[in-house]
């Protein structure tokens, strides 16, 4: 498939695909006229790349890990990197769960009352810090 079709299928911009190629994360074949052609599996690869970026991995780290994705094999150093990134993501998940739980507590302790102009007015902890005029 061509770059525009892959962009549409994967839900990313053509610019993002070109960036992934520059970072050696995608490897399209080129036609005689120089057009990029991607295999059907490229959309899944783009989704994985996006997930890894969203999880906080750098393009450099993703490049190091992609051979494991491609071959299913890892050197001891690659396996160590995979484990370290998994553990970092686990810690991140714990921190996000803690933040969600704190927000749930704030939501549960917040009362909503109407103001005279009809807009809801938050009271309690969800109202946020009060600002004093200077």
């Amino acid at each position: 498939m061509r770059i525009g079709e892959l962009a549409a299928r994967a839900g990313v911009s053509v610019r993002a695909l070109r960036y992934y190629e520059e970072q050696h994360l995608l490897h399209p074949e080129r036609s005689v006229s120089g057009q990029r052609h991607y295999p059907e599996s490229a959309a899944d690869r783009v989704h994985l790349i996006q997930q890894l970026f969203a999880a906080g991995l750098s393009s450099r780290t993703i490049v190091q890990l992609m051979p494991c994705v491609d071959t299913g094999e890892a050197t001891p150093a690659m396996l160590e990197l995979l484990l370290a990134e998994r553990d970092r993501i686990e810690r991140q998940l714990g921190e996000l769960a803690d933040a969600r739980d704190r927000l749930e507590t704030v939501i549960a302790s917040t009362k909503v009352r109407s103001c005279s102009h009809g807009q809801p007015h938050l009271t309690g902890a969800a109202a946020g810090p009060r600002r004093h005029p200077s």
Side-chain angles (χ1 to χ4, degrees):
M1 82 184 88
R2 292 177 37 183
I3 194 167
E5 184 181 350
L6 175 59
R9 190 176 291 185
V12 300
S13 66
V14 168
R15 184 177 178 195
L17 296 177
R18 288 186 182 127
Y19 173 77
Y20 296 164
E21 184 181 346
E22 288 172 10
Q23 298 299 309
H24 306 287
L25 297 169
L26 282 178
H27 309 285
E29 292 186 14
R30 296 283 186 150
S31 69
V32 176
S33 62
Q35 291 182 331
R36 294 169 173 87
H37 290 277
Y38 297 90
E40 290 297 316
S41 61
D44 287 336
R45 187 176 184 100
V46 169
H47 287 126
L48 174 62
I49 292 166
Q50 288 184 303
Q51 287 176 324
L52 296 174
F53 275 130
L57 279 73
S58 67
S59 58
R60 182 178 179 186
T61 300
I62 296 170
V63 166
Q64 290 177 291
L65 299 178
M66 290 313 266
C68 300
V69 172
D70 296 336
T71 66
E73 297 177 358
T75 64
M78 287 174 149
L79 182 58
E80 188 175 318
L81 181 57
L82 285 166
L83 293 169
E85 287 300 330
R86 184 211 46 205
D87 292 346
R88 184 189 57 74
I89 291 168
E90 281 293 330
R91 285 189 303 276
Q92 234 179 339
L93 287 170
E95 292 169 4
L96 286 170
D98 289 346
R100 179 205 56 222
D101 293 347
R102 292 194 71 177
L103 281 174
E104 285 293 335
T105 300
V106 170
I107 291 167
S109 66
T110 299
K111 300 173 189 149
V112 177
R113 65 178 171 92
S114 293
C115 293
S116 59
H117 51 24
Q119 295 295 320
H121 177 76
L122 296 176
T123 61
R130 294 186 185 225
R131 298 213 167 120
H132 298 286
S134 324

